[in-house]
Amino acid sequence: MELLLFFVILILSLGAGLLLQWWPSRHHPMPTYPQRAPFLGGGLPDTHAWSRFHVRYYPMALLLIAFEMEMMFMYPWAVVYVAQGMKAVMEMGMFLAILSVGILYGWREGVFRWQ
Amino acid sequence: MNPPLAVDIAFILLALFAVYTGWRVFRTDSMVRASFFLLLSFIAVGAIMLLLSAMYLGAAMFFMMGVEMMVMALFMVMFMMNPAGLNPMMMVHQHRLAIGAGIASFVIVAAMALLARFPHRPLPADLQEVESLGNELLGESMLIFESAAVVLLATMIGVVVLSSQRGRYGNAGEGSMPPGLDPGGEPAGMPEKDDEDDGGHHHCH
Amino acid sequence: MAVSWLARLAACAPVPVFPALGMRGEEALYRLALSPEIKLVDSPRHASLLLVAGGVPPSMQQALRRVHDQFPAPFTTLWYRSTPLVELPRAAVTTVDSLDALPGALVESHGSLLRNTVGHSPRLLPDAPPHPWQGLGDDGHGGEGMMGGVPYGRPMAMPPTEDLRDGLALDVLTFRLGPFFPLWPPGLEAEVILQGDIIQQFSVQSSPFPRALAPVFHEAREQSVAIAALERARARHHLQALFHALHLAGLEGLARDALRLADRCPSGDIALLAKWFKTFERRMKRRGFFALHLPERGALRQEQAERLGGFAARAAGIDRDARTEDDGYRRLAFATITQQAGDTRARWRQRLAEIAQAFDLAARAQRDDMRTAQTDAVETPRGAWRDSRPGGTSPLLEDLLPGLEWGEALASLASLELAALSPWPREERAETQMGGAA
Amino acid sequence: MILDQLVWPLALVLAALVLGPYLLAVLDGLVARGLGLTRGPGLWLAPLRRGAWWLIQHTNVTEAPDGRAWRLAPALYLALAAGGLALVPWSRAWVATDIATSLVLWGSIEALATVVIFLQGWSANTHLTLVGAYRYVALGLSYILVSMFVLIGVALPAESLALTQVIISQQELWNVLRQPLGLPLFLIVGLAITFRGPFNLADSTDLAGGTSADVSGAQRLVWEFARSAMLVAFSGIATAAFLGGWLGPWLPGPLWVAFKMLAVLALLAWLGPAFARLTPEHCVSLMWVVLLPLAFVDLIWAGVEALS
């Protein structure tokens, strides 16, 4: 039941978003090529913008993947935390301490700076 | 239980959607589109999990795949030629092998689904899925859980070592120099002779 | 009737204006930034009006046509002290020569555009792709292979030989930016090569338009002038420069405050001005303006700083100021201020310190009615004006910007003054009037 | 039964989806007025006028865009915002989507928002939008960890991942007091997910509008609307997680929720333009080196508090 309503809300808003874009422009002609050129203050590009884009934060992105895996363990842990008491504290403390080492190491090696 | 008919219809629609988007992954020219078609496919599978009352696994699926497909798109665009598919291209290689492997694995999995005898163990109605998962993590599977932390730490360090150009002593390409043992002294722990052009290999750790 | 109802609603919206600044067009920008009914935007895609302010040299008219054609319909044009492009029909052109009438004219144009009483601007350039491609080549993309050809009219980006930072050579994006890029000095045109968001190469193709100074600087070359007037004009100049940097940093409110202060500079009460400026400076620091500029970004080398002169040299630790040679200033116990780092942050610290110093000097000079004693060297905000006016120095960007991230590069650019000094002073009219209003 | 489970929650979500962004635009107008950017009458009409202008302006097309993805991105962003609003409990009975893992589902909405914002900048195939898109991903991948830690913090005393349980656990003391670091950190997440103020890396001024630089007309309307709607959804989650949701004397629950959401929105509308935009490099360092450890501290605090 809840999921049905969630789904209905998603579809309604998605449809509204698309309709709102499509309806006003349904009779508009295709813009001319000069209009469609990228805006560069009067200048022109040599090439398409799509390219092998040099992402400058790729080590951070990889670090995140590892860290996020670990976060997924934390949600179930949070639910039983109070019931399990000290045991949960110890276990998660150890777990997080190990992973903090990873972040500290990454920071030390300049992972969060632009490569 | 919920009205079974609606759940069945939703399941079939989502399954078809997952298969369709999975197929589109290999039919599109753009790496970004391919990544996000795969994401859509995973989302459909996650939604099926929600339908199966695996509330945590389903939501976690959205979460994980959202981040992971984003990172995958970044790297696909970085390293693939013609990443946006401006020119027509073929996403798949070795067609015959791929088709054969696909059919074979489909048949095996389908046979398992149809022929295997699944135990009939209806779950108690008041099963708290997330809690039982948490208790498992803090109970029998604790060792696995903690060793996962160590494995992830190893992953993190590996990632940093392999990908980070900037070491703590400066750029790796410049040939890093650890500080001396005494002020102004010889760099500590260096080999006798430093090979100047090591071709961008990292020795910053 | 729904459309006319919508149009009437939209006609009252704040007027989205894209300013294309020509020579001596800044005054229009500063005036419009303080007009609440106008919304200045940075992309023609967001505007209903193209405002061309100031003269556009013939070599840049093609670029202007390109900007003009990038507006989505409906839009129209307005020309402030500028000659409209000849091919534009009369109906799509409004010309205005008075600064006071400008905001009103823009509001009027926007309103009549939406009420359909003024013509939409037509397209000027032919509707053709940059390169013919359809149906050519082996895949119909105008060439051969996976990376070849000109799909959709343009070639694909190709990898360079190396990368400045991490040696990972991926594709570079080569494009020419300007001369109407609103986030750097008007007239500057450059070929930029980006790898990721790092600038790999930057070559200036045309220098920014010469910058006109307040007439008092020109007078000072001919006769003795009041030091107070000179210093007020200096503070005003730096405050106006600050507007661009604050806009770039996303601090729109403070950017307007800088302009308001600048407008009060020529005739406002000097003690009050100094007090307001102190508050303004404090607020700027608190809101993280300096935190935005990482240390060592955009740092000038010694000889570059010397070539630039003025505040940029002093920010790099070169203790040189033509004011020290003037007896009038000496009697005011003028002492130069310097910074050491020479980077973007140091330049802004220097400029802020010089504004505060200018207010202080003006206050003391005004009390005793001090005047300058010499005319053969005047310290302008752009640098010392001795035998010749400070010239354009934009080629040093080719050295300075590579290796910087895009935002850092633009922030560094905003902290510098690279345009040559115009031989003619700025017209005083606007200034006295604003002074009168304040 | 049907009325309580379907009709009222749906009506409330849709009302919040339509009214919320409008009220946020009015609040933004008030803040702009405070900064001296606009003045004169028409505070309440200004958002409608702007919207009308966007509806009239033609939608731009670029040379070789990924057309479908480009049009889909704003609509998907709006759908994600609506999904977030669906998770907000309006009262004990009126919750559109009351599942056991709504906190995780909100986390996945945050993760997917990054994808959608990237898509908006990428699909245009123009230079400035592309740089904006990649910049935002750096931020989007960083803030998500902070958000997860902070939300796990509120799950500890509730012993549940459901927002309704989180609210019920705040009956004695709201989480904003019980976990004082939580709400400030979470507000930063709110600014980041809608790229406002210091975290406006996607649509920044130095890129002439960033991912929006080549977007016009109705597409821009939907984009800006979705961006506001996302902040409204965020304020709903913040209300439930930290401000006790429907809890409050005298008034009915949904009204309390609405008031608290408005307060959060007003705070964010005021905070946004108060600070200079951070550089992407700064942002990433800030998130990982400063805010993530602070989120650790918050979690430990929450843990100690929950056991005592």
Side-chain angles (χ1 to χ4, degrees):
Chain A
M1 197 63 146
E2 292 91 3
L3 291 176
L4 177 73
L5 197 51
F6 191 69
F7 191 67
V8 166
I9 288 171
L10 282 188
I11 292 293
L12 273 183
S13 50
L14 185 69
L18 287 175
L19 192 72
L20 206 56
Q21 290 181 73
W22 171 76
W23 183 260
S25 62
R26 66 199 186 285
H27 297 313
H28 292 169
M30 188 67 163
T32 62
Y33 267 98
Q35 180 187 330
R36 291 161 64 185
F39 168 63
L40 293 167
L44 282 175
D46 276 0
T47 62
H48 281 289
W50 283 337
S51 57
R52 280 168 281 190
F53 192 90
H54 198 142
V55 178
R56 297 287 171 175
Y57 45 83
Y58 49 87
M60 183 275 279
L62 292 174
L63 198 66
L64 173 83
I65 296 267
F67 205 87
E68 200 219 3
M69 281 307 173
E70 170 264 321
M71 294 296 293
M72 281 298 150
F73 290 115
M74 289 205 66
Y75 282 111
W77 167 81
V79 175
V80 296
Y81 172 79
V82 174
Q84 295 271 355
M86 244 14 234
K87 192 163 122 197
V89 176
M90 296 305 291
E91 191 191 10
M92 193 47 71
M94 205 160 96
F95 192 72
L96 280 184
I98 293 176
L99 290 167
S100 304
V101 173
I103 292 204
L104 252 145
Y105 175 70
W107 173 57
R108 187 91 162 76
E109 295 289 325
V111 162
F112 305 125
R113 282 183 286 172
W114 254 217
Q115 295 294 316
Chain B
M1 283 303 287
N2 287 342
L5 185 63
V7 173
D8 283 352
I9 292 174
F11 169 76
I12 289 169
L13 286 179
L14 285 168
L16 286 177
F17 185 71
V19 171
Y20 171 75
T21 46
W23 172 64
R24 293 303 304 169
V25 171
F26 299 99
R27 299 298 302 168
T28 179
D29 290 342
S30 158
M31 298 296 164
V32 168
R33 275 196 178 196
S35 306
F36 294 150
F37 272 129
L38 193 54
L39 173 59
L40 282 179
S41 189
F42 275 122
I43 285 180
V45 174
I48 291 176
M49 286 184 175
L50 290 185
L51 284 182
L52 295 173
S53 310
M55 285 300 170
Y56 180 64
L57 287 185
M61 183 84 144
F62 300 154
F63 201 140
M64 299 285 283
M65 289 306 144
V67 173
E68 266 151 44
M69 291 303 127
M70 185 67 248
V71 175
M72 183 169 110
L74 290 186
F75 281 89
M76 296 258 274
V77 172
M78 264 175 101
F79 295 122
M80 294 289 200
M81 272 163 80
N82 186 15
L86 284 162
N87 280 342
M89 61 186 253
M90 189 54 97
M91 271 278 185
V92 286
H93 307 286
Q94 295 172 298
H95 293 74
R96 245 181 249 155
L97 180 68
I99 292 170
I103 290 176
S105 46
F106 178 79
V107 167
I108 293 171
V109 174
M112 273 165 62
L114 290 177
L115 302 179
R117 197 184 300 271
F118 290 104
H120 182 73
R121 260 187 303 180
L123 293 173
D126 59 340
L127 175 81
Q128 299 284 339
E129 174 224 0
V130 189
E131 277 173 29
S132 56
L133 209 62
N135 284 325
E136 179 72 23
L137 282 182
L138 292 174
E140 287 180 17
S141 305
M142 193 189 271
L143 185 63
I144 303 174
F145 177 52
E146 290 296 341
S147 45
V150 179
V151 170
L152 287 174
L153 176 64
T155 314
M156 282 182 175
I157 292 176
V159 155
V160 173
V161 167
L162 287 177
S163 71
S164 174
Q165 174 71 9
R166 194 197 296 264
R168 78 183 77 158
Y169 308 115
N171 277 351
E174 290 166 7
S176 50
M177 288 286 217
L181 288 176
D182 44 81
E186 284 286 298
M190 292 290 283
E192 287 300 302
K193 234 180 184 175
D194 195 20
D195 197 4
E196 270 306 306
D197 48 354
D198 55 352
H201 281 293
H202 302 259
H203 52 167
C204 54
H205 41 92
Chain C
M1 279 303 95
V3 171
S4 79
W5 168 80
L6 257 187
R8 253 183 293 147
L9 200 59
C12 305
V15 185
V17 176
F18 176 80
L21 298 185
M23 270 183 271
R24 306 155 80 77
E26 291 95 346
E27 52 176 337
L29 179 77
Y30 298 139
R31 166 52 83 84
L32 292 179
L34 289 181
S35 311
E37 65 275 23
I38 307 290
K39 183 166 168 44
L40 291 173
V41 295
D42 294 326
S43 164
R45 320 289 197 193
H46 304 163
S48 69
L49 290 175
L50 168 63
L51 168 71
V52 184
V56 176
S59 61
M60 289 178 181
Q61 286 189 349
Q62 190 64 15
L64 185 60
R65 279 188 201 102
R66 280 199 287 267
V67 171
H68 174 277
D69 271 21
Q70 286 187 331
F71 279 73
F75 75 103
T76 187
T77 63
L78 200 137
W79 303 72
Y80 169 72
R81 299 199 177 186
S82 187
T83 325
L85 292 169
V86 281
E87 58 267 52
L88 279 174
R90 304 285 308 152
V93 164
T94 317
T95 49
V96 178
D97 284 332
S98 138
L99 196 55
D100 295 318
L102 187 58
L106 286 167
V107 172
E108 178 61 35
S109 279
H110 177 76
S112 28
L113 176 75
L114 288 167
R115 279 183 231 104
N116 270 321
T117 51
V118 70
H120 297 188
S121 209
R123 304 290 159 186
L124 301 178
L125 300 171
D127 181 15
H131 300 279
W133 62 281
Q134 259 160 333
L136 304 174
D138 48 6
D139 280 322
H141 61 273
E144 291 175 358
M146 201 161 74
M147 296 291 286
V150 281
Y152 306 94
R154 278 191 206 286
M156 263 191 263
M158 281 292 170
T161 47
E162 58 180 333
D163 175 69
L164 283 174
R165 287 205 178 179
D166 60 358
L168 176 66
L170 300 176
D171 289 347
V172 290
L173 295 174
T174 309
F175 54 91
R176 279 159 299 283
L177 199 61
F180 301 109
F181 189 57
L183 301 163
W184 72 21
L188 178 62
E189 218 177 333
E191 183 168 278
V192 185
I193 300 185
L194 280 185
Q195 175 148 207
D197 51 3
I198 304 284
I199 293 185
Q200 176 109 350
Q201 209 177 317
F202 190 93
S203 40
V204 175
Q205 296 190 318
S206 78
S207 303
F209 296 129
R211 184 78 198 267
L213 283 182
V216 66
F217 290 106
H218 292 258
E219 273 169 40
R221 287 282 296 163
E222 283 151 19
Q223 65 199 51
S224 169
V225 296
I227 286 181
L230 206 57
E231 291 304 318
R232 280 166 182 268
R234 186 186 319 280
R236 180 169 195 228
H237 182 95
H238 286 315
L239 281 168
Q240 284 177 340
L242 207 51
F243 164 74
H244 296 283
L246 288 166
H247 169 63
L248 211 54
L251 290 169
E252 299 296 337
L254 273 184
R256 297 319 189 269
D257 285 349
L259 277 189
R260 278 190 205 104
L261 260 177
D263 274 344
R264 295 209 170 96
C265 274
S267 54
D269 176 37
I270 200 79
L272 262 181
L273 274 174
K275 206 178 96 201
W276 282 335
F277 176 70
K278 211 165 265 166
T279 334
F280 168 79
E281 197 184 2
R282 204 168 44 234
R283 232 186 288 161
M284 223 171 99
K285 277 180 192 152
R286 233 179 6 225
R287 293 187 176 187
F289 177 75
F290 287 105
L292 185 70
H293 306 292
L294 295 172
E296 287 174 42
R297 301 301 151 89
L300 292 168
R301 285 197 312 273
Q302 204 69 11
E303 77 269 13
Q304 288 174 326
E306 246 164 73
R307 203 162 93 225
L308 254 175
F311 69 89
R314 290 191 286 278
I318 301 173
D319 188 359
R320 195 175 301 158
D321 194 317
R323 284 176 283 182
T324 50
E325 301 156 24
D326 191 298
D327 283 333
Y329 277 102
R330 239 177 258 155
R331 261 178 289 153
L332 284 171
F334 168 81
T336 50
I337 303 170
T338 55
Q339 317 279 327
Q340 285 312 315
D343 55 7
T344 304
R345 194 191 288 196
R347 280 192 289 278
W348 282 121
R349 286 196 199 287
Q350 176 72 16
R351 281 176 106 157
L352 287 177
E354 290 199 11
I355 296 172
Q357 186 189 33
F359 284 139
D360 172 54
L361 287 171
R364 286 188 288 133
Q366 198 166 313
R367 207 161 45 224
D368 309 332
D369 194 22
M370 306 279 270
R371 303 184 75 79
T372 55
Q374 66 162 5
T375 56
D376 45 339
V378 173
E379 182 71 22
T380 69
R382 175 65 190 74
W385 177 0
R386 295 171 194 277
D387 304 327
S388 60
R389 289 185 310 279
T393 44
S394 45
L396 77 82
L397 290 176
E398 302 179 356
D399 235 16
L400 191 69
L401 298 188
L404 291 182
E405 190 263 338
W406 177 265
E408 290 168 356
L410 283 188
S412 293
L413 230 169
S415 74
L416 290 163
E417 292 224 1
L418 303 161
L421 271 197
S422 165
W424 299 282
R426 192 169 56 194
E427 278 172 55
E428 189 65 328
R429 191 194 54 81
E431 228 168 280
T432 49
Q433 200 163 36
M434 286 312 288
Chain D
M1 173 69 183
I2 290 284
L3 209 62
D4 265 354
Q5 279 201 357
L6 275 184
V7 179
W8 283 119
L10 184 66
L12 279 170
V13 167
L14 292 184
L17 195 60
V18 175
L19 277 181
Y22 171 71
L23 288 176
L24 179 61
V26 172
L27 283 172
D28 278 339
L30 262 177
V31 172
R33 192 169 289 211
L35 292 172
L37 297 176
T38 57
R39 60 165 185 264
L43 180 69
W44 294 92
L45 273 180
L48 298 179
R49 287 175 174 155
R50 210 164 48 226
W53 155 245
W54 280 331
L55 275 180
I56 286 175
Q57 194 190 28
H58 289 198
T59 308
N60 189 38
V61 181
T62 54
E63 274 171 355
D66 186 341
R68 286 190 200 152
W70 206 20
R71 299 287 184 254
L72 212 53
L76 280 173
Y77 196 28
L78 183 62
L80 286 176
L85 271 174
L87 298 176
V88 177
W90 299 95
S91 73
R92 189 169 282 201
W94 292 354
V95 194
T97 309
D98 185 16
I99 59 171
T101 53
S102 42
L103 277 179
V104 189
L105 203 54
W106 168 253
S108 61
I109 284 175
E110 285 178 354
L112 292 173
T114 304
V115 172
V116 168
I117 294 165
F118 172 77
L119 211 52
Q120 164 89 345
W122 162 269
S123 304
N125 186 13
T126 60
H127 300 66
L128 300 176
T129 59
L130 195 69
V131 175
Y134 275 101
R135 264 186 188 184
Y136 183 78
V137 174
L139 172 62
L141 294 183
S142 310
Y143 80 75
I144 199 148
L145 288 180
V146 179
S147 161
M148 284 167 97
F149 270 108
V150 168
L151 288 182
I152 288 175
V154 301
L156 290 183
E159 297 184 63
S160 167
L161 297 173
L163 275 170
T164 39
Q165 295 300 315
V166 170
I167 293 176
I168 291 168
S169 77
Q170 299 178 62
Q171 227 135 24
E172 288 148 28
L173 190 59
W174 291 1
N175 276 338
V176 64
L177 298 175
R178 196 153 57 175
Q179 302 171 10
L181 272 174
L183 187 61
L185 286 172
F186 198 54
L187 288 180
I188 290 174
V189 170
L191 289 178
I193 194 177
T194 53
F195 43 99
R196 291 168 75 89
F199 301 104
N200 187 357
L201 295 189
D203 286 9
S204 60
T205 42
D206 62 339
L207 292 167
T211 61
S212 296
D214 282 299
V215 174
S216 73
Q219 191 183 355
R220 186 127 187 274
L221 170 67
V222 177
W223 183 245
E224 296 294 333
F225 187 84
R227 198 176 157 189
S228 305
M230 185 55 97
L231 198 66
V232 174
F234 165 82
S235 71
I237 302 290
T239 299
F242 291 100
L243 298 174
W246 66 75
L247 299 175
W250 313 306
L251 293 173
L255 268 182
W256 270 118
V257 175
F259 281 141
K260 290 172 186 173
M261 278 169 74
L262 265 182
V264 173
L265 285 179
L267 184 63
L268 287 176
W270 173 71
L271 269 179
F275 295 100
R277 191 188 56 252
L278 295 162
T279 61
E281 202 171 344
H282 247 130
C283 255
V284 171
S285 302
L286 179 78
M287 290 288 171
W288 283 85
V289 181
V290 182
L291 299 185
L292 192 58
L294 276 180
F296 267 59
V297 173
D298 176 65
L299 187 65
I300 293 167
W301 186 311
V304 171
E305 213 282 334
L307 276 190
S308 62

